[in-house]
Amino acid sequence: MAGRIDVQRTHSGRVARVVVDHDAKLNTLNPPLMEDFAAAFAALGADAALRAVVLTGAGPRAFIGGADITAMAAIPDEKGARAFIRLVHGCCRAIRDLPVPVIARVNGWCLGAGLEVAAACDLRIAAEHAKFGMPEVRVGIPSVVEAALLPQLIGWGRTRRLLLLAETIGAAEALDWGLVERVTTPEALDAAVDEWVAMLLEAGPAAIRAQKALIRRWEDLPQTAAIAAGVDAFGASWRTEEPRRMLGDFAARKKK
């Protein structure tokens, strides 16, 4: 079985839970699964009512255990290799292009392409038994595509440790490095994710979308241009009634 991408809707349809369901192989990503993954996120991105997405893996063992080794071993040549890695990048780009935040619910092994997918998410919360690593050099290939996001998260030195030494680290160390933002017990993982989802739902829908888009721009812009982009985003937010309404509501509460 090639696995499947399961999309569930909660909170009156405003939140999507996307599950990589390939538990028999630690939720590893093969080409059909990656195509379905990108298509699922593209469909979600067309939903104007969507407020947040939670991404996780099926079962208790893995978030995404990497790209499917059997599929990679069957790659015939450089052309095939380029086509395969573009599928991995397509999954990561689909997350980053989604207009609303994506929370990675890391429930176990998070390796290789799985760590690249997690790095592409906006927020990461892990169970304390989760393990993180980039083992590609051990099977004769470099870590590529969204591995390029890691220096912004953990710095160059730690990125080199993961990519060159192929180290595997635990959730506590990942938290200390800044690779994840929160660690919980497995039993508390869903409650912690729900807490973050509730916080996103309390915020202005247009403001959250504008903030994600702006953060994406900040990643690629020099500081002066990034600040200017923020001025533009702030001004553009007044094209809707959301700031006036929410600021007015806040001011009214303060007066009571």
Side-chain angles (χ1 to χ4, degrees):
M1 181 179 176
R4 67 192 183 102
I5 302 300
D6 184 21
V7 180
Q8 307 155 7
R9 301 301 285 259
T10 64
H11 298 81
S12 301
R14 296 177 297 165
V15 178
R17 182 182 175 98
V18 178
V19 181
V20 179
D21 190 351
H22 197 196
D23 187 29
K25 289 196 172 183
L26 294 178
N27 300 322
T28 52
L29 298 172
N30 53 47
L33 201 53
M34 288 189 280
E35 291 173 355
D36 290 347
F37 185 109
F41 271 85
L44 289 170
D47 183 357
L50 188 69
R51 302 283 295 277
V53 170
V54 176
L55 173 63
T56 194
R61 300 186 300 160
F63 171 68
I64 297 172
D68 191 302
I69 292 293
T70 302
M72 285 196 291
I75 294 173
D77 51 27
E78 180 178 346
K79 181 179 178 181
R82 288 177 180 270
F84 185 92
I85 202 62
R86 287 192 183 106
L87 291 174
V88 177
H89 170 58
C91 293
C92 297
R93 182 171 179 176
I95 292 168
R96 285 164 58 77
D97 286 349
L98 194 77
V100 301
V102 180
I103 300 171
R105 176 190 176 274
V106 184
N107 51 313
W109 289 101
C110 182
L111 301 174
L115 185 47
E116 291 163 20
V117 166
C121 293
D122 300 284
L123 295 162
R124 289 154 291 273
I125 185 165
E128 59 190 8
H129 69 279
K131 301 289 185 182
F132 301 81
M134 298 294 291
E136 283 87 345
V137 294
R138 292 186 180 176
V139 292
I141 54 177
S143 298
V144 294
V145 290
E146 272 65 22
L149 298 173
L150 292 174
Q152 296 181 21
L153 292 172
I154 62 176
W156 280 105
R158 287 166 171 166
T159 297
R160 289 187 177 97
R161 282 182 60 180
L162 285 180
L163 273 55
L164 295 175
L165 303 180
E167 286 189 278
T168 298
I169 64 171
E173 194 165 13
L175 179 64
D176 180 61
W177 284 18
L179 188 57
V180 301
E181 287 74 48
R182 188 171 176 181
V183 172
T184 74
T185 64
E187 296 78 16
L189 184 58
D190 284 326
V193 169
D194 288 344
E195 181 182 331
W196 279 5
V197 167
M199 295 169 74
L200 291 171
L201 293 176
E202 289 174 358
I208 286 289
R209 287 174 174 246
Q211 191 67 74
K212 175 165 179 174
L214 184 59
I215 291 170
R216 281 290 313 276
R217 294 195 66 193
W218 284 344
E219 290 175 340
D220 298 326
L221 291 173
Q223 186 177 72
T224 299
I227 292 170
V231 172
D232 292 340
F234 187 82
S237 67
W238 257 260
R239 294 172 186 166
T240 74
E241 290 298 314
E242 187 172 287
R244 284 179 285 270
R245 174 177 55 79
M246 296 189 74
L247 286 166
D249 290 346
F250 182 82
R253 290 196 301 269
K254 292 286 285 186
K255 289 179 180 180
K256 292 180 181 180

